[in-house]
Amino acid sequence: MIYVIRAVDSMLIKIGFTKSKNSLKRRLLQLKCSCPYPLRIEATMNGSRLKESYLHSICLSRHESGEWSRLSVDEVKRMVDKYKDWTPTQNGIKRIPQLHHQVKKSYFK
């Protein structure tokens, strides 16, 4: 499962991967301990670590720090709508190193 967590009242989001809803709850609690902002789960979708890496790569131009990026609520909604049913193998991507060849420019301008 891929998740998008938002720092409330900000544009900071974290895209991550977890195996289950229970592990997502644990991950959210871990992040809350180290983040000065309240956090909320903004979106989830089916996916793999490879798909998570792909989503990180399309957000490179919005990278803020660590695994945090700066995206509006509308941008996250558009990204989730576009990629919720997509799999990397549809583009022939089978390994993370192939992402560098597939993602030539940022999804966000």
Side-chain angles (χ1 to χ4, degrees):
M1 167 191 299
I2 294 172
Y3 60 82
V4 178
I5 291 176
R6 179 172 300 278
V8 177
D9 296 329
S10 81
M11 290 181 64
L12 292 174
I13 61 115
K14 181 190 181 320
I15 299 169
F17 172 81
T18 188
K19 293 181 180 181
S20 69
K21 288 183 180 182
N22 285 337
S23 58
L24 174 54
K25 290 177 186 176
R26 284 192 302 273
R27 183 66 178 131
L28 183 60
L29 289 173
Q30 290 170 340
L31 290 168
K32 283 182 175 181
C33 289
S34 61
C35 183
Y37 301 102
L39 300 175
R40 74 166 185 267
I41 299 167
E42 185 156 316
T44 60
M45 68 178 99
N46 290 330
S48 62
R49 290 191 187 278
L50 184 58
K51 185 173 178 178
E52 176 210 5
S53 294
Y54 185 85
L55 296 176
H56 278 285
S57 67
I58 67 171
C59 295
L60 280 176
S61 68
R62 300 297 185 84
H63 180 257
E64 188 68 24
S65 176
E67 289 192 4
W68 292 86
S69 297
R70 192 171 289 276
L71 275 72
S72 72
V73 172
D74 288 339
E75 289 170 327
V76 170
K77 183 179 180 341
R78 283 195 318 266
M79 179 180 68
V80 170
D81 286 346
K82 180 173 182 172
Y83 290 103
K84 66 182 172 192
D85 296 321
W86 178 84
T87 63
T89 54
Q90 289 172 329
N91 284 42
I93 301 169
K94 295 180 182 162
R95 298 183 348 254
I96 290 175
Q98 290 177 293
L99 292 173
H100 302 293
H101 301 289
Q102 289 285 327
V103 183
K104 296 188 184 338
K105 62 180 181 176
S106 174
Y107 175 73
F108 304 98
K109 295 182 181 200

